[in-house]
Amino acid sequence: MPDHRPPDPKVEQPQDGVVPPRPEPPAKDSGPEVVHHPARFLRDRLPTGAAHAIGALLLLIPAIWAAGYLFPPINHDVAALMDVVHRWLDGETLYVDIIDVNLPLVFVLYAIPEVLARLFAFTGLDATTWLTLCLYAAIIGSFLACRSLTHKVPSLAHPLTEALVPPTLLFLFVVLPNENFGQREHVMFVLTAPYLLHAAGRAEGRAAAIGSVPAWAIALAAGLGLAQKPHFLTIPLAVEAYLLLHRGWRRTITDVVPWLIGAVIVAHAALMVFGTPAYVSSVLPIIWESYTHLGEVTWQGVLFGPVLGPCLLALAAFGLLAIFLARTVAARVIVAYGLGAALAAALQAKGWPYHVLPALSATILLAAVTISQMIDRYLPIDREAHRVPVVGISATFLILFYFQAALFTPPFQKQRQFEDSITGVLLHIVEQNAPNKRILVFSPGIYPYYPLVNYGGIRMTMRFQTMWVLQGIYADCEEYPVLYNAPEDMSDAERFVFDSVSDDFERQQPDLVIVDRVAGMPRCQGRVFDYLEYFMRNPKFARAFERYTHFMDVDRYTIYKRR
């Protein structure tokens, strides 16, 4: 229950949601008072140059780390998105000639590096390199905005917090994603990090001090990030719900930020309905019938799984410390963001690691804010007199994060092993044996064909990138009395795949057909699903395949070559 007693004029009152440190009671019979001699005070100070050097090092390490992303391979899902964009800009119709489950805004965003590669072809940089450069630009812009906000949001404007939060964000932007660098969840967190810190300023009544133009830019960037997936909308709903409870509906309804985010989402919905109607009429029914069945876990399994479960426990622990000890509004906003991100991961019900990336990032950021705020509150640090603890604690905190990241996922392992990886081996085979650079791949997964397609300038000769539709349809053997459905018994989605793949194969005549012997489906009737056997039942496919002969077996893949 709120306390309505008048404030005691003898007690220093909190300002803008920040509770000042409580004075220590005098010690009883503690002996002579300890006097901190000025000479010792000066000896404990860290020279300005050393403090700046350590701060620069905390910026230099992620900068060097980021350079590693310029080397192949890029993330396989990102590579698949880039291939869709490449074909789209080459004149193929999105969701008609190329079938993908992602919303159109995703391809608009990932089209930026492809457009830059074509405009600046004289540089010799391909689209994958431009993608990495675009991500660098987004990270730098987000980092500068967040660093500025730490000085303007009252509950963040403290010595240790100001020193610790920016390098922590660089760690989250650059190092934590590792092999998931460039994934949609990674892009979303980079674009919404300023929105997260700005929300703390809005909760503390400091939106006017931040400015209207920056607020518009922050909101529009967040809207673009959040509109990539419908699941992401749980994040602004959680954050804005907290702001509504904290400051009331009058200030909330006049706040421009949530309305701008909503406007971006509505504009994206209009683009989907009127700009790419095939997504609504063709792709959504396939998603409902097949894609929702992919994945080995339920939303409960994701929520309490080995990654998100501990993440939620840490979020709860740091949240309790933030609420009852640090008592900062910024930490509470981060808790709301983290809960929304965790719910978004659970609703996707796939259990894929990159889905948890935003929730994990919010938890680590909350840890940095909570620890620094408690130290600032209970062990007050003067900005000038005590550079040693500020810089030392920041460096120690970040070293621990880098150490944990290196243990959990060896940095750039795929880059170091790319030439000898299955992607590198298949890329060499395709480049030597596909003169027209056309291949057809039957596999349930994206990897290793992407980024093979991107680096080799290869064309996939079907409108699907993988066999995900069949994988979803045949996910449960118990529902089917036979191994393969007869054409007349197929659903609309399955019949579309059965016919369109055969039509594309007959028309485009790929140089190589690569078949994954691991179909990604359960055994049925004591047999495994065979992609060639399945499609050979189509007369068009069978007739076209007569011109192919077995070429070689590599790892789990069988390769057929056109005569």
Side-chain angles (χ1 to χ4, degrees):
M1 181 177 294
D3 190 352
H4 298 290
R5 292 176 295 179
D8 187 346
K10 298 180 181 180
V11 179
E12 184 181 358
Q13 299 300 313
Q15 297 180 358
D16 296 321
V18 181
V19 179
R22 298 177 180 177
E24 294 289 342
K28 296 180 180 180
D29 300 327
S30 57
E33 181 182 1
V34 178
V35 178
H36 295 281
H37 197 276
R40 181 185 175 188
F41 211 53
L42 292 175
R43 289 198 306 269
D44 290 341
R45 291 181 61 180
L46 187 69
T48 303
H52 290 167
I54 294 176
L57 184 63
L58 294 179
L59 300 180
L60 182 62
I61 292 175
I64 296 174
W65 194 296
Y69 294 117
L70 290 170
F71 298 94
I74 61 172
N75 177 270
H76 49 278
D77 285 330
V78 175
L81 294 175
M82 295 296 294
D83 181 57
V84 172
V85 165
H86 181 82
R87 293 170 60 177
W88 180 31
L89 295 181
D90 273 351
E92 296 187 48
T93 303
L94 193 59
Y95 305 122
V96 176
D97 301 317
I98 328 158
I99 307 295
D100 193 274
V101 301
N102 284 282
L103 299 176
L105 177 62
V106 173
F107 299 114
V108 172
L109 293 177
Y110 284 85
I112 296 173
E114 179 69 31
V115 171
L116 291 174
R118 298 184 184 206
L119 288 177
F120 300 99
F122 62 90
T123 63
L125 301 178
D126 60 14
T128 61
T129 303
W130 278 107
L131 171 69
T132 306
L133 296 177
C134 288
L135 290 170
Y136 289 169
I139 287 171
I140 293 172
S142 181
F143 169 74
L144 293 176
C146 290
R147 189 175 65 172
S148 175
L149 287 167
T150 58
H151 301 298
K152 296 178 181 178
V153 177
S155 60
L156 294 175
H158 298 273
L160 184 53
T161 306
E162 290 178 351
L164 184 56
V165 166
T168 299
L169 284 170
L170 271 185
F171 171 83
L172 300 176
F173 292 162
V174 176
V175 180
L176 185 66
N178 205 343
E179 62 183 27
N180 292 314
F181 190 82
Q183 275 279 15
R184 290 143 294 177
E185 277 75 4
H186 175 223
V187 173
M188 185 273 288
F189 182 72
V190 170
L191 293 178
T192 57
Y195 161 75
L196 170 58
L197 301 187
H198 184 253
R202 291 159 55 208
E204 298 178 64
R206 296 303 297 271
I210 296 171
S212 58
V213 173
W216 276 64
I218 289 170
L220 292 175
L224 291 174
L226 294 166
Q228 292 181 93
K229 288 186 178 183
H231 314 87
F232 292 164
L233 301 186
T234 57
I235 295 174
L237 288 176
V239 172
E240 300 302 328
Y242 168 76
L243 293 180
L244 176 63
L245 294 174
H246 179 77
R247 60 181 183 170
W249 67 270
R250 285 185 177 87
R251 290 174 61 190
T252 299
I253 202 171
T254 57
D255 193 338
V256 69
V257 172
W259 295 109
L260 286 174
I261 293 175
V264 174
I265 294 168
V266 170
H268 183 209
L271 170 65
M272 183 170 57
V273 173
F274 301 107
T276 57
Y279 184 85
V280 178
S281 61
S282 301
V283 178
L284 278 182
I286 297 176
I287 292 175
W288 183 258
E289 180 179 339
S290 179
Y291 189 75
T292 54
H293 299 293
L294 295 180
E296 299 178 354
V297 296
T298 62
W299 68 268
Q300 297 96 327
V302 175
L303 195 61
F304 303 106
V307 178
L308 191 55
C311 180
L312 286 173
L313 290 176
L315 191 69
F318 282 115
L320 291 174
L321 291 174
I323 293 171
F324 294 107
L325 292 179
R327 303 183 184 180
T328 58
V329 172
R332 298 174 187 178
V333 173
I334 297 173
V335 171
Y337 183 102
L339 291 175
L343 182 58
L347 290 176
Q348 295 185 71
K350 303 298 181 190
W352 298 332
Y354 65 89
H355 288 173
V356 188
L357 193 60
L360 184 59
S361 299
T363 303
I364 294 174
L365 180 62
L366 177 63
V369 170
T370 303
I371 292 173
S372 63
Q373 290 286 293
M374 286 195 296
I375 293 174
D376 277 337
R377 174 177 169 79
Y378 294 104
L379 298 174
I381 299 173
D382 182 82
R383 291 178 184 270
E384 296 300 325
H386 290 75
R387 291 195 186 95
V388 172
V390 170
V391 176
I393 292 173
S394 300
T396 303
F397 198 75
L398 267 297
I399 289 171
L400 178 62
F401 277 162
Y402 282 97
F403 176 68
Q404 186 275 339
L407 283 181
F408 185 73
T409 306
F412 304 111
Q413 183 175 11
K414 289 189 174 181
Q415 282 82 356
R416 289 184 280 110
Q417 301 175 351
F418 178 69
E419 291 296 329
D420 297 326
S421 68
I422 185 61
T423 302
V425 171
L426 288 176
L427 177 60
H428 177 74
I429 293 172
V430 170
E431 287 178 334
Q432 296 296 319
N433 297 280
N436 299 311
K437 294 190 174 183
R438 292 174 176 267
I439 64 173
L440 174 62
V441 178
F442 292 123
S443 176
I446 292 289
Y447 182 83
Y449 318 109
Y450 299 92
L452 177 154
V453 166
N454 309 76
Y455 291 129
I458 309 299
R459 167 65 185 269
M460 181 75 75
T461 59
M462 66 175 176
R463 62 198 73 193
F464 296 94
Q465 294 168 303
T466 73
M467 291 286 98
W468 61 268
V469 180
L470 296 182
Q471 190 182 13
I473 291 173
Y474 288 92
D476 189 356
C477 173
E478 295 179 358
E479 296 184 4
Y480 302 98
V482 294
L483 182 60
Y484 311 122
N485 291 328
E488 60 272 15
D489 296 328
M490 293 178 178
S491 64
D492 292 340
E494 184 181 1
R495 187 58 188 259
F496 176 67
V497 174
F498 187 72
D499 291 338
S500 65
V501 170
S502 300
D503 292 341
D504 294 343
F505 179 53
E506 183 184 48
R507 185 179 67 257
Q508 300 190 41
Q509 301 178 4
D511 300 303
L512 300 174
V513 176
I514 304 175
V515 181
D516 191 341
R517 293 192 295 272
V518 180
M521 306 174 200
R523 294 177 65 91
C524 193
Q525 312 300 327
R527 299 170 57 198
V528 297
F529 193 100
D530 185 300
Y531 288 115
L532 274 185
E533 188 177 64
Y534 175 85
F535 282 104
M536 287 288 281
R537 300 178 303 151
N538 189 301
K540 289 185 178 180
F541 188 95
R543 186 167 54 250
F545 193 74
E546 290 177 355
R547 302 194 63 181
Y548 290 80
T549 184
H550 178 266
F551 179 53
M552 67 169 62
D553 294 325
V554 179
D555 198 67
R556 55 189 256 187
Y557 308 100
T558 302
I559 302 177
Y560 297 87
K561 187 175 182 180
R562 189 169 183 269
R563 295 192 295 267

